[in-house]
Amino acid sequence: MAQSDTVDRILDAAEELFAERGFSETSLRMITGKAGVNLAAVNYHFGSKKSLIQAVFARFLTPFCIALEAAFDRLEAETAPKPPDLESVLRVLTATLVEMPRQHDRSIAIYMRLQGLAYTQSQGHLRRFLEAEYSHTFGRFMRLLKNATPELSAVERYWRNQFMLGATAFTLSSSDALTEILWNKLGVETPNEEIVDQLVPFLAAGMQAHTVAHGNTGNSDSGA
Amino acid sequence: MAQSDTVDRILDAAEELFAERGFSETSLRMITGKAGVNLAAVNYHFGSKKSLIQAVFARFLTPFCIALEAAFDRLEAETAPKPPDLESVLRVLTATLVEMPRQHDRSIAIYMRLQGLAYTQSQGHLRRFLEAEYSHTFGRFMRLLKNATPELSAVERYWRNQFMLGATAFTLSSSDALTEILWNKLGVETPNEEIVDQLVPFLAAGMQAHTVAHGNTGNSDSGA
DNA sequence: AATTGTTTGAAACATACGTTTGAGCCGGAA
DNA sequence: TTCCGGCTCAAACGTATGTTTCAAACAATT
């Protein structure tokens, strides 16, 4: 067994098991069993289970954020000096997501589910880690969204951002289960690429829904 | 301590702790500690932790579904013989939801979060329980949605339903935290009623977004 | 007051977990 | 060959979990 083959085998197994069972429900013994390595290897190479979880996210999130920033660069260059419109921003995001993990021949669903779990399962340390590590890219995305929806008040944009986030995280985090249910019901298979094809127009339309006449707040201010 | 006060105290504590920490992360000792009852009481009254989880859901979901069915009855009577339009259906749902837990003086967020957890955390037994117990009301809601969106294919409707569910569950489940963040940022308070006022147009617009031209599936078929 | 069935209480049970230990293995440098 | 650092391994550690036990307390009925 070559040098640090062990590290990658652990990450592969953990990634898969975390995605399908959650963090607390996945024991180190399951992971090392699946990886075919010794139990102690996790604590030797990663220090703790928490660090393992963070390492799993770092392995796919770091290259993803790099690719995403590059894609944003390209998009903004194309549309300059005008800011990119909403659907373009969303499409760049989902396209980068869908094309990312081909290298590792893994279903995107795994990473989507992990991303969803990051929001859903408490895991305070994970939230802090992601915030510290990837807030730059996240903030840039938020700024693009703001420029793409100038007609919204700050309050409206804030809540609609949450709606988008929810629809995305929630759906993608259970995309495998949902796809299977649909298969049993209608006999139709929906690859993840198609789910996001459905998702983008839904989100764009929701964001641009006619504003509800309410007694609140002036126009456009802070981001989200 | 009156007759089965214990049962209710356990349910109250469990409800709150499950909502804020998840199922696996909440131990029976935390629950009985918070409830001020003996550890063994849970297994005595409920049989197991799994049954406790189901009981927590049953206590709020059963009256909610009854209220919802009644509200649907009224709505369909009003609009007969035409089926109610999409926004009416959504508004009836959210209104019932918002008005429900006044009795117990508990934030709706708790129940929303529980509902979200039911989807997110694996917990196969819970999914089976909810399916067996509440599929009738859920199915009726789906049928109303179908009649309100005849232009959608079955596949599109299925996925857009999930998007709606996600946006709703995700947002409302953290509505307290999100409201506080917004207050700190813009100095604006958003009561839950107003959140759903923002949510309904978002969902309705998303549901009715122009269909994406894709190579799949004919038109309207089974429900979802 | 005695008896019955139900509910509580403190303690223990068996199991699973994350983590630590220390002896052993192996490959490259001296 | 000897030595040494990185790595693996089986075993154990301490702790936390869900569940069970059984005696004591209680409420209601006879």
Side-chain angles (χ1 to χ4, degrees):
Chain A
M1 197 176 300
Q3 195 177 18
S4 266
D5 200 7
T6 301
V7 168
D8 285 321
R9 296 174 62 131
I10 291 174
L11 285 173
D12 288 343
E15 187 171 85
E16 213 161 320
L17 287 170
F18 284 153
E20 73 187 29
R21 310 183 35 103
F23 304 117
S24 310
E25 294 81 358
T26 303
S27 71
L28 294 185
R29 284 169 175 82
M30 291 180 198
I31 294 172
T32 53
K34 176 164 194 152
V37 305
N38 188 273
L39 170 61
V42 169
N43 287 279
Y44 177 78
H45 286 288
F46 296 93
S48 70
K49 187 180 181 181
K50 288 184 180 182
S51 306
L52 205 214
I53 295 175
Q54 295 175 9
V56 165
F57 275 83
R59 189 172 65 153
F60 80 89
L61 224 40
T62 297
F64 172 73
C65 280
I66 291 172
L68 185 60
E69 296 254 14
F72 281 156
D73 287 342
R74 264 178 274 124
L75 178 63
E76 288 193 301
E78 276 176 27
T79 67
K82 296 168 67 174
D85 66 47
L86 177 61
E87 194 145 345
S88 304
V89 174
L90 295 178
R91 209 160 272 292
V92 161
L93 175 71
T94 55
T96 307
L97 186 64
V98 167
E99 276 172 23
M100 167 78 357
R102 289 270 182 269
Q103 339 159 345
H104 217 265
D105 116 289
R106 246 196 185 352
S107 161
I108 323 145
I110 289 192
Y111 300 105
M112 293 175 167
R113 179 136 171 78
L114 284 175
Q115 196 58 56
L117 288 180
Y119 281 95
T120 319
Q121 318 238 128
S122 31
Q123 298 288 354
H125 71 95
L126 220 198
R127 214 181 303 252
R128 267 174 272 126
F129 169 77
L130 298 176
E131 166 78 18
E133 214 73 15
Y134 304 107
S135 63
H136 178 271
T137 307
F138 185 72
R140 180 170 181 189
F141 174 66
M142 284 303 174
R143 244 171 290 122
L144 285 168
L145 276 188
K146 180 187 172 189
N147 292 332
T149 56
E151 74 281 6
L152 292 180
S153 75
V155 175
E156 286 169 333
R157 188 180 307 109
Y158 175 81
W159 286 110
R160 292 186 181 191
N161 277 345
Q162 297 302 332
F163 302 155
M164 286 207 302
L165 194 58
T168 308
F170 186 88
T171 305
L172 299 189
S173 79
S174 350
S175 62
D176 286 341
L178 295 174
T179 298
E180 189 191 327
I181 292 173
L182 184 58
W183 169 255
N184 292 337
K185 205 169 305 195
L186 301 181
V188 178
E189 194 94 42
T190 317
N192 283 303
E193 294 79 359
E194 240 167 76
I195 299 179
V196 304
D197 281 345
Q198 305 255 2
L199 183 54
V200 170
F202 179 95
L203 299 180
M207 281 301 275
Q208 291 162 336
H210 286 108
T211 255
V212 48
H214 241 311
N216 58 359
T217 54
N219 231 22
S220 189
D221 209 36
S222 141
Chain B
M1 198 175 300
Q3 193 176 19
S4 267
D5 200 7
T6 301
V7 169
D8 285 320
R9 297 174 61 130
I10 291 174
L11 286 173
D12 287 343
E15 186 171 86
E16 213 161 321
L17 286 170
F18 284 154
E20 73 187 29
R21 310 183 34 103
F23 305 117
S24 311
E25 293 81 358
T26 303
S27 71
L28 294 185
R29 284 168 176 83
M30 291 179 199
I31 294 172
T32 54
K34 176 166 193 151
V37 305
N38 189 274
L39 169 62
V42 169
N43 287 278
Y44 176 78
H45 287 287
F46 296 94
S48 68
K49 186 179 181 181
K50 287 184 181 182
S51 306
L52 206 214
I53 294 175
Q54 295 175 8
V56 165
F57 276 83
R59 188 172 64 154
F60 79 90
L61 226 38
T62 297
F64 172 73
C65 281
I66 291 172
L68 186 60
E69 297 254 14
F72 282 155
D73 286 342
R74 266 178 273 125
L75 178 64
E76 288 194 300
E78 278 176 27
T79 67
K82 296 169 68 174
D85 66 46
L86 176 61
E87 196 146 341
S88 305
V89 174
L90 295 179
R91 210 162 271 292
V92 161
L93 176 72
T94 55
T96 308
L97 187 64
V98 168
E99 276 171 24
M100 168 80 354
R102 289 268 182 274
Q103 340 160 344
H104 216 267
D105 115 289
R106 239 188 189 3
S107 163
I108 323 146
I110 288 193
Y111 301 105
M112 281 277 88
R113 178 138 171 75
L114 285 174
Q115 196 60 55
L117 288 180
Y119 281 93
T120 313
Q121 319 237 125
S122 32
Q123 299 287 355
H125 70 96
L126 220 198
R127 215 182 301 251
R128 267 174 271 126
F129 170 76
L130 297 177
E131 167 79 17
E133 214 71 16
Y134 304 107
S135 62
H136 178 270
T137 307
F138 186 71
R140 180 170 180 188
F141 174 64
M142 285 302 175
R143 243 172 290 120
L144 285 168
L145 276 188
K146 181 188 171 188
N147 292 332
T149 56
E151 73 281 7
L152 293 180
S153 75
V155 175
E156 285 169 332
R157 189 180 306 109
Y158 175 82
W159 286 111
R160 292 186 181 192
N161 280 344
Q162 297 302 333
F163 303 154
M164 286 205 302
L165 195 60
T168 307
F170 185 88
T171 305
L172 297 189
S173 77
S174 347
S175 63
D176 290 341
L178 295 174
T179 298
E180 190 191 327
I181 292 173
L182 184 58
W183 170 256
N184 292 337
K185 204 170 305 193
L186 302 180
V188 178
E189 195 93 44
T190 318
N192 279 312
E193 293 77 3
E194 234 167 82
I195 298 179
V196 304
D197 281 345
Q198 304 256 3
L199 183 54
V200 169
F202 178 95
L203 299 180
M207 282 301 277
Q208 291 162 337
H210 285 107
T211 255
V212 48
H214 240 309
N216 59 357
T217 52
N219 231 24
S220 190
D221 211 36
S222 139

